[in-house]
Amino acid sequence: MVKTHQFDAIIVGAGGAGLMAALYASKGGANVAVVSKLYPTRSHTGTAQGGIGAALGNLEEDNPLWHAYDTVKGGDYLADQNAAKVLAEEAIDAVIELEHMGLPFDRTPEGKISQRRFGGHTSNFGDKPVRRACHAADRTGHMILQTLYQQCIKHHVKFFDEYQVVDAIMNNGACAGVVAMQLGTGELTVFHGKATLFATGGWGKIWSVTSNAHSLTGDGAAVVYRRGVPMQDMEFFQFHPTGIYKLGILITEGVRGEGGVLINGKGERFMEKYAPRIKDLASRDVVSRAIYMEISSGNGAGKNKDYVYLDVTPKTVNRYFAEAGDERRITAEDVEKKLPDILEFCRVYLGVDPVKDPMPIQPTAHYAMGGIPTNVNAEAVLDEHWTVIPGLYAAGEVACVSCHGANRLGTNSLVDLVVFGRRGGKNIADYVKRADFVPLPPAPEREIEAELNRIRNGKGKTRPHELRSAMQKEMMQNVGVFREEKGLNGALEVVRELRERFSKDLTIDDKGSTFNTDLMEAWELGCLLDLAEATALAALKRTESRGAHSREDYKERDDANWMVHSLVTRHGSELSPSTAPALTINVNKKVDMSLAEVDPRFAPKVRTY
Amino acid sequence: MDVTFRIRRYNPDIPGKNKPYWQEFRLADVDPNDRVLELLHRIKWEQDGTLTLRRSCAHGVCGSDAMRINGVNKLACKVLMRDINGSKVQVEPILGLPVIKDLVVDMEPFFGHYREVMPFFVNDEPVPANGRERLQSPDDRAQYDDTTKCILCAACTTSCPSFWANGKYVGPAAIVQAHRFIFDTRDRAAKERLNVLAEPNGVWRCRTIFNCTPACPRGIEVTRAIGEVKLAIQRGTTTGIVDISTIHIKEPT
Ligand SMILES: Cc1cc2nc3c(=O)[nH]c(=O)nc-3n(C[C@H](O)[C@H](O)[C@H](O)COP(=O)(O)OP(=O)(O)OC[C@H]3O[C@@H](n4cnc5c(N)ncnc54)[C@H](O)[C@@H]3O)c2cc1C
Ligand code: FES
């Protein structure tokens, strides 16, 4: 018999979303276990830099309805408008609450939470950039993660650190918990819960140039996907315009918020051409495409003309401020104070000092808009009828609620974590009071144990990293910023072939049980391959361009046919099918338009910045 | 260029490898801009998958991969080959914590000390009646800015000879975490924390050896923070101790 733990609520993942959910579920009286493959403070939330958006209006007039508008427009009208409204309204209270938990926000001279500009955030329905991003230097995510972890310690939340969830236990269409491997011992453990919330973050490691951590391998999404839960809107993966050239390390939009500008290889500021009104602060999909267009028309910088510059040197910034009649001026000291981490990344990894020289940048795979479909209560849903999957919840980047639609605005992910993490936690606390445990099926660990043993004892010739880099390269080339039919078909074929090799020809070195990261990295690769396939398929199916999904063969947004979410479902329950499993894609789930129904400003229109 | 790695290994699962030993690996085509973490990955992925380490963010913010690199505590993702003299890199687990396997140590004792100092915000007074944030001046905020940067990587604590000598000493990282709250004007539990740190295994075990400050990958002035906590204990107050005019913007190490 494997070890079995029973808790009211199992929270998988200890980033911002998981910790917020855990805190609220336990404050609401539930007996909670947080299961995380990393120590909580190692979670990727800690790398978020720029800020968390909330219409506090501390520095200039602001309004949650404007925030909702920017979110819907930024999402290229694919965001569910009820979710965008919840996000914008509850952001205010959530941010204030973080402050009450001790989060050290930067302060205005009067001692209020300081706010800065960020891409796509405007006042008065797109009029002009607004200061909405609440920040703690350029380590806002670090402060959120630390603060929430601290509060969980204060409230005696039970943590299972370095336990990696490898399977979801479903029984008759309901979730009964998870199977996890304790990394230190290699032992499998069953967590039996009335409610299970996945908050495992994104899967940027599908691509070769990414801002994402090595640990962002989409485990939580893949685990439930293999058990029949659909993946929603997988074709929408955001490429952030400003990653450090080649390394992909993120340079926050906050740099442009402070006045930084994008400059091509000829020394020209080019965003004026693509977004005449708000220029460098247009939303991310727009800026990433502009950079690619500059590069493909020969305006890139460097030997291979394959990158552009982000310039935050006071000389350049002040020149453009003056030209625009903007009264602001910045000094080297301001830059040092407001963006210390960014300066350090550039100095350490590039040997470039951004106070004196522009930084070489390129778009980097950054954020999964898609994921486990949920309603605004963080309950996972199965289909276009919003059928709730009993006992299963999701929040944060792994979830698709969908408040971000086809393209997430900067600062809105951190809002998403705290707003929907909190909703998830509160709902779980209520649910476990009235629900019973779903019975565990016999030996729930057996199948995944067999799969892990298959990987461990594989007698093939292929090392996991060969497959991983082949997948990353293919996805970067054909399922990146620009896509078209031929490339997408090719990518699907490549990914399927790689998966076949994964299941028939794999070999790893470490056969042991103690801290076997060789085994877990190989297992994670399987997750990435499954999600890459779903991504390519959804991208192929969507014959339009919208937000982060840009088809060269279908350049226009097609509102007549595509105001719908996509749902990819994998059929068959083998954990590692050796041939391509049957996938179906459902495109009947209509976008929620509840704001547009009462206010025509929320109806889809051409998106200009 | 060609590089030779000399790595301290230990694998409890395999007879013959279940005592610490050194192993060498050679890598060709190394770029001066390659991070040590990337090179460890190359060894793991191309040569020996049993090599075990923790890592996540790969850019110095998650605190997973503190290790001793050429005898000094560093984050492997923050050391580039061009920072290393010559073409030999020696890598060992951080000292003072039990080794689980290769470069992975048991972090529990470290997090245990962290939890001892009440590392969480305490203020039970009612929040402002208008429902908004508590106010704090930029100067008050600046007092504890430096210590909010801590990523709990343990590089400081495991570079400290006092900690090596006595694992019960809470260690620099826990004191840094306490400092973050002690000097936060909104917090109300400074006294309790100072009491914990005034105990025999608290700040007074610090002999101002200074190893911790250069070890910090976040550039926190650890020894200064410890000094401020000592002063607060001696004076019985937290006001007038941090001189913010001397908090300067540091060139990164
Ligand atoms: C460099 C960077 C900068 C960013 N800056 C901003 C910003 O300024 N503003 C903003 O709004 N957003 C920003 N984002 C986006 C935002 O940070 C993320 O979307 C968000 O932090 C995701 O949080 P999460 O709680 O969903 O997951 P994460 O923080 O990624 O946490 C995932 C958790 O799941 C656990 N986990 C994963 N797999 C398993 C498994 N198999 N078993 C058990 N546990 C598992 C991990 O241990 C971890 O605890 C940024 C992202 C990046 C990469
Ligand atoms: S891997 Fe995150 S700090 Fe090095």
Side-chain angles (χ1 to χ4, degrees):
Chain A
M1 260 296 279
V2 298
K3 206 184 274 172
T4 301
H5 294 286
Q6 214 180 44
F7 287 89
D8 290 339
I10 317 289
I11 310 290
V12 186
L19 294 178
M20 196 73 176
L23 204 53
Y24 271 88
S26 66
K27 279 185 185 173
N31 179 18
V32 180
V34 180
V35 182
S36 176
K37 70 174 176 180
L38 304 174
Y39 273 102
T41 57
R42 315 290 184 226
S43 303
H44 209 58
T45 296
T47 67
Q49 303 166 353
I52 173 164
L56 302 181
N58 280 355
L59 287 156
E60 53 193 325
E61 189 189 353
D62 203 355
N63 182 327
L65 199 63
W66 300 345
H67 187 182
Y69 172 84
D70 293 335
T71 302
V72 166
K73 177 182 171 189
D76 220 351
Y77 300 93
L78 193 77
D80 283 321
Q81 299 190 350
N82 59 336
K85 182 165 179 275
V86 166
L87 179 93
E89 284 175 352
E90 296 186 8
I92 297 179
D93 178 50
V95 165
I96 297 293
E97 191 175 356
L98 288 172
E99 197 283 332
H100 292 163
M101 292 178 189
L103 198 139
F105 284 108
D106 290 343
R107 300 289 167 159
T108 66
E110 314 84 78
K112 296 186 199 166
I113 295 171
S114 177
Q115 299 185 277
R116 61 160 68 113
R117 295 175 187 179
F118 233 79
H121 290 278
T122 67
S123 57
N124 204 10
F125 302 95
D127 203 20
K128 59 177 195 340
V130 70
R131 273 169 263 186
R132 184 177 290 147
C134 311
H135 54 89
D138 49 3
R139 48 178 187 281
T140 315
H142 166 76
M143 301 298 199
I144 291 179
L145 187 64
Q146 296 279 329
T147 302
L148 291 175
Y149 183 53
Q150 292 155 1
Q151 291 296 309
C152 284
I153 294 179
K154 188 175 177 185
H155 289 94
H156 307 288
V157 172
K158 173 96 181 120
F159 283 94
F160 290 85
D161 295 333
E162 299 194 322
Y163 278 70
Q164 185 157 3
V165 168
V166 284
D167 201 3
I169 306 169
M170 301 297 289
N171 195 351
N172 256 330
C175 184
V178 293
V179 184
M181 176 183 272
Q182 182 177 5
L183 296 176
T185 61
E187 233 183 307
L188 289 177
T189 302
V190 167
F191 289 88
H192 187 200
K194 292 179 179 175
T196 303
L197 180 135
F198 279 85
T200 49
W203 44 89
K205 281 287 155 188
I206 287 180
W207 289 270
S208 53
V209 176
T210 177
S211 64
N212 282 196
H214 286 288
S215 56
L216 287 177
T217 49
D219 308 5
V223 151
V224 298
Y225 175 55
R226 289 169 181 167
R227 294 296 180 191
V229 176
M231 290 290 111
Q232 179 169 306
D233 291 346
M234 291 298 281
E235 63 273 41
F236 298 104
F237 199 94
Q238 179 173 77
F239 281 71
H240 191 292
T242 56
I244 293 182
Y245 179 53
K246 281 195 177 150
L247 298 178
I249 298 172
L250 194 81
I251 302 294
T252 171
E253 227 151 80
V255 171
R256 284 169 283 143
E258 300 296 345
V261 288
L262 291 161
I263 305 281
N264 67 20
K266 294 181 171 159
E268 302 158 347
R269 181 181 193 183
F270 56 86
M271 279 312 296
E272 297 171 324
K273 281 188 277 184
Y274 302 92
R277 240 174 328 137
I278 64 174
K279 306 186 177 87
D280 301 85
L281 284 171
S283 87
R284 290 177 179 170
D285 54 334
V286 174
V287 183
S288 284
R289 278 195 291 277
I291 293 172
Y292 265 89
M293 266 143 32
E294 287 297 305
I295 290 172
S296 63
S297 48
N299 293 340
K303 200 166 65 206
N304 302 323
K305 293 188 182 293
D306 58 353
Y307 60 88
V308 298
Y309 292 109
L310 174 59
D311 193 340
V312 73
T313 60
K315 197 171 114 216
T316 307
V317 172
N318 290 334
R319 178 157 59 90
Y320 285 111
F321 277 162
E323 260 176 38
D326 191 325
E327 281 161 18
R328 290 182 293 163
R329 294 293 178 271
I330 60 164
T331 63
E333 239 215 328
D334 296 333
V335 181
E336 299 270 4
K337 248 195 213 137
K338 291 192 167 154
L339 304 163
D341 280 8
I342 298 300
L343 299 192
E344 194 183 347
F345 295 149
C346 291
R347 287 166 181 158
V348 172
Y349 295 111
L350 288 168
V352 167
D353 185 348
V355 176
K356 302 193 184 101
D357 292 301
M359 310 165 237
I361 57 102
Q362 74 181 121
T364 182
H366 184 56
Y367 183 85
M369 269 76 72
I372 304 172
T374 69
N375 59 27
V376 291
N377 297 323
E379 296 167 305
V381 299
L382 193 59
D383 52 26
E384 69 270 32
H385 310 297
W386 298 86
T387 311
V388 168
I389 304 171
L392 186 64
Y393 294 74
E397 191 169 338
V398 71
C400 180
V401 46
S402 150
C403 54
H404 308 304
N407 172 60
R408 170 177 73 79
L409 286 191
T411 81
N412 267 359
S413 170
L414 293 176
V415 186
D416 178 356
L417 309 183
V418 293
V419 166
F420 293 104
R422 182 168 70 172
R423 281 180 158 247
K426 282 184 180 169
N427 279 301
I428 284 176
D430 290 344
Y431 177 77
V432 299
K433 285 187 193 123
R434 55 190 153 85
D436 279 329
F437 282 94
V438 175
L440 288 175
E445 78 293 352
R446 203 173 40 210
E447 254 184 281
I448 186 64
E449 188 169 33
E451 167 63 1
L452 291 169
N453 283 335
R454 179 192 73 76
I455 298 175
R456 195 193 314 257
N457 302 321
K459 300 266 184 305
K461 291 179 297 298
T462 308
R463 298 176 74 87
H465 93 99
E466 298 169 42
L467 302 178
R468 193 187 311 116
S469 43
M471 168 193 66
Q472 290 172 336
K473 215 172 117 213
E474 180 65 25
M475 292 296 285
M476 200 73 195
Q477 210 143 48
N478 288 316
V479 199
V481 172
F482 288 106
R483 296 128 182 224
E484 46 83 39
E485 184 175 329
K486 193 158 150 262
L488 289 169
N489 272 318
L492 260 180
E493 218 168 285
V494 168
V495 168
R496 285 175 175 159
E497 187 213 304
L498 293 173
R499 194 190 28 226
E500 190 162 324
R501 285 170 65 196
F502 176 81
S503 50
K504 292 192 178 140
D505 190 40
L506 203 65
T507 179
I508 65 170
D509 295 333
D510 199 335
K511 316 286 180 200
S513 49
T514 307
F515 230 98
N516 190 341
T517 53
D518 203 18
L519 173 65
M520 295 326 284
E521 283 185 9
W523 178 81
E524 289 168 343
L525 167 63
C527 296
L528 291 172
L529 285 166
D530 279 358
L531 298 180
E533 183 190 27
T535 304
L537 181 73
L540 180 64
K541 178 82 181 176
R542 187 175 287 269
T543 49
E544 65 157 352
S545 289
R546 182 185 297 272
H549 174 66
S550 211
R551 289 278 302 248
E552 301 206 84
D553 41 359
Y554 296 91
K555 287 191 191 291
E556 299 302 316
R557 197 176 77 198
D558 176 0
D559 291 339
N561 295 303
W562 285 106
M563 287 296 287
V564 289
H565 300 289
S566 68
L567 293 170
V568 178
T569 304
R570 180 178 175 283
H571 302 272
S573 62
E574 317 94 289
L575 294 179
S576 166
S578 52
T579 49
L583 302 190
T584 52
I585 180 160
N586 167 340
V587 290
N588 298 319
K589 190 169 183 240
K590 290 207 175 65
V591 174
D592 178 278
M593 300 294 284
S594 46
L595 291 172
E597 280 158 23
V598 292
D599 184 343
R601 286 177 297 200
F602 284 85
K605 52 182 141 337
V606 181
R607 193 156 146 263
T608 57
Y609 281 100
Chain B
M1 66 182 191
D2 292 354
V3 172
T4 307
F5 270 77
R6 186 165 180 262
I7 302 178
R8 190 74 169 161
R9 312 253 353 229
Y10 165 74
N11 185 338
D13 292 343
I14 299 180
K17 298 190 168 176
N18 55 4
K19 289 208 184 66
Y21 64 102
W22 291 100
Q23 187 175 5
E24 284 200 356
F25 296 92
R26 269 164 211 290
L27 285 173
D29 295 324
V30 171
D31 188 280
N33 281 328
D34 285 342
R35 293 164 263 188
V36 167
L37 177 63
E38 273 171 288
L39 300 175
L40 291 171
H41 272 151
R42 268 186 64 191
I43 294 170
K44 180 176 179 66
W45 294 343
E46 295 165 11
Q47 302 184 25
D48 182 356
T50 67
L51 178 65
T52 304
L53 59 141
R54 291 191 180 99
R55 87 285 182 264
S56 185
C57 72
H59 64 285
V61 290
C62 77
S64 297
D65 59 342
M67 44 189 88
R68 259 165 91 83
I69 299 176
N70 288 348
V72 185
N73 279 5
K74 298 269 183 197
L75 298 175
C77 63
K78 260 189 117 171
V79 183
L80 275 58
M81 270 318 291
R82 65 160 194 254
D83 308 328
I84 283 177
N85 259 337
S87 61
K88 288 201 165 53
V89 187
Q90 178 171 300
V91 185
E92 307 157 73
I94 43 179
L95 300 179
L97 295 168
V99 178
I100 295 176
K101 183 176 173 184
D102 290 345
L103 302 169
V104 174
V105 298
D106 181 1
M107 296 293 287
E108 270 318 310
F110 174 81
F111 280 107
H113 289 317
Y114 164 71
R115 287 189 294 263
E116 282 168 34
V117 300
M118 303 174 65
F120 41 76
F121 185 75
V122 178
N123 184 336
D124 298 328
E125 294 161 16
V127 298
N130 62 3
R132 300 292 290 213
E133 64 266 47
R134 293 191 167 98
L135 301 181
Q136 182 169 52
S137 73
D139 282 357
D140 285 347
R141 166 69 178 73
Q143 286 201 66
Y144 64 100
D145 184 66
D146 203 34
T147 45
T148 64
K149 294 178 190 156
C150 174
I151 56 176
L152 294 165
C153 67
C156 59
T157 296
T158 61
S159 73
C160 173
S162 303
F163 178 73
W164 298 338
N166 179 353
K168 292 202 175 109
Y169 168 39
V170 293
I175 302 171
V176 161
Q177 289 287 336
H179 179 284
R180 177 255 168 271
F181 293 102
I182 290 169
F183 295 99
D184 183 341
T185 49
R186 300 169 300 165
D187 184 85
R188 295 290 175 264
K191 232 197 195 93
E192 285 97 312
R193 290 192 194 90
L194 291 173
N195 284 342
V196 173
L197 292 173
E199 295 283 312
N201 289 317
V203 281
W204 305 115
R205 292 237 178 259
C206 165
R207 301 280 187 273
T208 329
I209 299 165
F210 253 106
N211 274 8
C212 51
T213 299
C216 178
R218 304 284 293 160
I220 299 171
E221 293 183 273
V222 182
T223 315
R224 172 181 172 151
I226 297 174
E228 287 165 350
V229 172
K230 286 178 176 171
L231 215 55
I233 293 173
Q234 280 168 336
R235 293 197 192 156
T237 174
T238 57
T239 47
I241 287 179
V242 183
D243 177 4
I244 58 165
S245 70
T246 62
I247 296 177
H248 52 287
I249 295 152
K250 293 173 297 284
E251 285 296 317
T253 42

